[in-house]
Structures are given as C-alpha cells and as structure tokens.
Amino acid sequence: QVGLVESGGGLVQTGGSLRLSCVASGRTFSSGGMAWFRQAPGKEREFVATIRWGGGNTAYSDSVKGRFTISRDKTKNTMYLQMNSLKPEDTAIYYCAGKTRYWILTAIPTHENEYDDWGQGTQVTVSS
C-alpha cells in the first residue's frame, strides 16, 4: 500500500524556521520525483518546490526561492523541506506529492496533475 506521510509542521514566529519531512512507503519515485505543495485558507493549492529523485535537480516557486530548500534521502525514501525566514503568508497546509512518471528535465513538473500520490498534509502557521 502506497503512503506518503508528512511531519514537522507547527507554529513558528515570523523569521523562524521549520523542517518538514515526507516519508514514502510502498513505492519509490526513482524515475520521477517528489514535490511540496501548499494550500492557504480560501486559496487554491499551489506549487512550492520539486526535486528529481535520480539527479537531485530542484525547482522552486518564486515566493519561496532563496528561503526554502528541498532535499531527499534516497536511503530513507524521505523528502525534506527546510523553511527559513518564514513569513505569515507561508501559513498553509503543506502537502507532499510523488511523481512516478519520468521527470523530464526540460519540463519541470509544477502542476498537481503531474503527481500520482499525495500525503494528508501538515499545518504550518507563521505568526506575525
């Protein structure tokens, strides 16, 4: 049974840091990759960052570039999101997603429909 489980969310003050984790079980994404999306109250879910499992290529949304870092540990089948310099507008439920299909280097997957498996989400709240 395939499962993605996020952890590491919580309440933090503006300027603080959090590290999210996502453990994948029952499936590997060795040909594809994994990503983080987030959904703020009253808004649609949006892309945050993605990582190609094999080569470690990464991409970020403009809103988090320079503050967030996505990484993965192949031996643990786990993906991470280090979030620094957090802002109130980063408040959202953060979801991890897995892409089983091939991650094409010239077409970075930033859309929800490019991902096959999803976690339940973890809440991140940044207080001002």
Side-chain angles (χ1 to χ4, degrees):
Q1 185 173 358
V2 178
L4 297 178
V5 179
E6 305 96 334
S7 63
L11 173 64
V12 66
Q13 291 185 333
T14 297
S17 298
L18 283 175
R19 188 194 194 205
L20 305 184
S21 300
C22 175
V23 180
S25 60
R27 197 205 297 276
T28 61
F29 302 98
S30 55
S31 296
M34 295 182 73
W36 291 98
F37 287 77
R38 68 186 182 185
Q39 186 168 21
K43 295 187 177 181
E44 295 185 350
R45 191 154 56 182
E46 65 174 2
F47 167 77
V48 175
T50 185
I51 185 165
R52 182 167 173 258
W53 201 254
N57 311 71
T58 60
Y60 299 89
S61 68
D62 288 342
S63 62
V64 307
K65 197 174 296 182
R67 299 187 297 123
F68 291 10
T69 302
I70 190 171
S71 62
R72 88 289 191 232
D73 185 331
K74 292 182 179 180
T75 64
K76 297 180 179 179
N77 218 27
T78 300
M79 173 182 66
Y80 304 98
L81 185 68
Q82 178 66 43
M83 306 186 294
N84 298 328
S85 302
L86 283 161
K87 306 175 182 179
E89 51 263 45
D90 294 318
T91 295
I93 298 174
Y94 283 70
Y95 298 90
C96 73
K99 174 179 172 64
T100 57
R101 289 157 287 174
Y102 191 69
W103 206 100
I104 301 172
L105 289 174
T106 56
I108 298 172
T110 62
H111 296 98
E112 291 184 51
N113 60 8
E114 298 180 275
Y115 292 87
D116 308 293
D117 301 309
W118 292 84
Q120 292 301 307
T122 184
Q123 176 71 48
V124 171
T125 303
V126 184
S127 64
S128 57

